[in-house]
Structures are given as C-alpha cells and as structure tokens.
Amino acid sequence: MAGFQLEKGERLFLYATVLLLIAFFMAIIASISEAGIHLPDDEGQVDPNNLLNTAPFNNLQDRPQDTDGDGVIDAVLIAKAYAFEPNPIVVPKGQEVEFTVSSQDVIHGFLINDVAVNAMVIPGHITKVTATFDEAGEYNIICHEFCGIGHQTMFGRVIVEEGP
Ligand code: CUA
C-alpha cells in the first residue's frame, strides 16, 4: 500500500516535469515566433583567428563612407576584449549607418544608446545592424554581454557630426 502511494507520487512528479518541459519549450517557440527574439541573422561567417586579414575587417575606417553606393554608410567594427575598434567612429547626422561587426575572441554585446541598436557579436559570425542618428553628438557603444574581467570597461563611441 505504501509502495503504491509512493509510485503515485512519483508518477505525479513525472507528469509535472513533462508539463514543465512542454511549457518551457512552448515559451521558447513563442519567444521566436511572437517576440522575434533570435540570434543575429546569418549575415555570413568569418574565421575569428584570421579576422584582421579578412575583408571587410582588414580595412577599418574611423570615418566610414558609403562604399557600395547604396546611400548607407558602411561602418565596420571589431569587438575584442575589452574594446571596440575603431574608436571613435565618426558618421554624419541623418544618414543611415549599417554596422558590420564581428568578434576577435569571445561573445560581446553591441548596444548603442539612444538608438535602437542591441545585438550580440559572436566570434565566427558577422552581425549587421543599422541606425540613423538624428541628433549630432556622442553616442556610447556598450558591451552588454559579460565577456571577462574587463567587461564593464568595454565601450566605444560614435561621434555624429552635423551634415555639410
Ligand atoms: Cu565585451 Cu562585455
């Protein structure tokens, strides 16, 4: 009799565990389909050990230009413990900027305050995010993924200049 009751309790735990697993799984699915949470889009892959020799990361510009003539400034940055390069980067006000970022070592974050830029930078992957700065001034690029002992010191700057 006591054995039967224990078994019943265990069976309840089993059901509860399976229900929880299903609930968590549904939460992940919902976060992808409803909230749009996902890893950076697959914008390409790059060998993190050879990053500095691989285009476009072999040609970092602190005053990035519209290199492909599509009206968007093409800014390329490298994230590494514990800095962004180049730093600062200078862009004009009011023009769309596409940031192409990759990491030389571990996972970093790429958040720019006052604009809607918030991405992960994963070694081996290329992250692309765009922003338009409507106000001239200085913006901070913040690493918001814990990346090691110097994580809290890791930031860069975007200087937005008044247009011509
Ligand atoms: Cu890089 Cu935190």
Side-chain angles (χ1 to χ4, degrees):
M1 193 63 184
F4 176 73
Q5 280 180 342
L6 183 64
E7 189 187 304
K8 194 176 166 193
E10 284 182 352
R11 194 181 303 159
L12 279 176
F13 260 103
L14 203 63
Y15 289 150
T17 305
V18 169
L19 277 177
L20 266 181
L21 280 174
I22 291 171
F24 288 148
F25 186 71
M26 305 260 289
I28 291 171
I29 298 297
S31 73
I32 294 168
S33 63
E34 303 301 322
I37 297 171
H38 56 77
L39 285 169
D41 289 339
D42 191 13
E43 298 285 358
Q45 308 214 331
V46 60
D47 178 2
N49 298 316
N50 203 27
L51 191 61
L52 295 174
N53 298 317
T54 308
F57 301 99
N58 58 354
N59 184 21
L60 302 177
Q61 302 288 336
D62 53 10
R63 284 183 174 268
Q65 304 293 318
D66 173 12
T67 49
D68 52 7
D70 61 356
V72 179
I73 301 278
D74 300 291
V76 180
L77 287 99
I78 284 176
K80 61 180 184 181
Y82 300 99
F84 295 98
E85 253 179 48
N87 181 31
I89 70 162
V90 184
V91 298
K93 175 179 125 176
Q95 192 170 354
E96 191 175 5
V97 181
E98 181 177 69
F99 295 91
T100 300
V101 196
S102 194
S103 168
Q104 210 177 310
D105 39 44
V106 297
I107 293 178
H108 297 283
F110 190 80
L111 183 152
I112 304 179
N113 63 359
D114 300 329
V115 290
V117 169
N118 182 342
M120 275 171 92
V121 184
I122 303 171
H125 291 261
I126 295 172
T127 298
K128 288 189 188 230
V129 283
T130 59
T132 303
F133 300 88
D134 293 324
E135 300 285 337
E138 286 194 15
Y139 296 74
N140 287 326
I141 304 172
I142 296 156
C143 176
H144 63 309
E145 294 283 342
F146 181 76
C147 54
I149 193 92
H151 159 70
Q152 74 278 4
T153 68
M154 179 169 174
F155 72 97
R157 279 184 309 149
V158 180
I159 296 175
V160 177
E161 289 185 340
E162 294 284 350

